[in-house]
Amino acid sequence: MNFIMIMICITITLSIILMLVAHLLPDVSPDFQKLSPYECGFDPMGSARLPFSLHFFLVAILFLLFDLEIALLFPLPWADQLPSLTIPYTYALVLIILLGGGLAYEWVQGGLEWAK
């Protein structure tokens, strides 16, 4: 057998062993402490199954979107080393205009109002 076949056999064997150990080892007897929601050592004040506000998720998604914008614009200062500066700066300008338009739309629609 060559080296690759040996490594594949070791990987498969180790994976099967780990799956068997993970299946056979844990204690699956639920009790009150395991089933109760964790609230920093205090007794739960209410149901932990209350739905979250969709507005919370909207604000979280907007934060992630603008965080991604910064990650996409991060390599822009290194674009000045390219022979043609117009293409990267045009792409960056289009991205900023698109995200700025989306932000303006959310602002006009009232999506950024925390308390209504």
Side-chain angles (χ1 to χ4, degrees):
M1 274 200 215
N2 59 9
F3 183 71
I4 295 174
M5 289 301 295
I6 293 172
M7 293 305 293
I8 290 174
C9 291
I10 291 173
T11 304
I12 291 173
T13 306
L14 185 61
S15 299
I16 291 172
I17 290 171
L18 289 175
M19 284 190 290
L20 287 173
V21 167
H23 181 69
L24 298 174
L25 191 62
D27 183 23
V28 291
S29 59
D31 59 357
F32 176 73
Q33 294 296 328
K34 287 183 181 178
L35 296 176
S36 67
Y38 177 71
E39 294 192 14
C40 300
F42 297 107
D43 291 331
M45 295 183 177
S47 175
R49 303 293 182 233
L50 294 175
F52 284 107
S53 171
L54 288 177
H55 188 73
F56 172 77
F57 289 113
L58 177 66
V59 171
I61 288 173
L62 285 174
F63 172 76
L64 290 174
L65 178 71
F66 287 104
D67 193 39
L68 179 65
E69 172 195 4
I70 292 171
L72 290 173
L73 293 176
F74 184 68
L76 193 61
W78 286 276
D80 62 352
Q81 299 173 2
L82 296 174
S84 173
L85 293 177
T86 57
I87 293 173
Y89 284 117
T90 304
Y91 287 154
L93 184 63
V94 168
L95 179 67
I96 290 172
I97 289 172
L98 182 67
L99 289 172
L103 178 63
Y105 177 76
E106 284 295 325
W107 194 343
V108 169
Q109 294 294 321
L112 300 177
E113 300 293 328
W114 189 255
K116 293 184 181 184

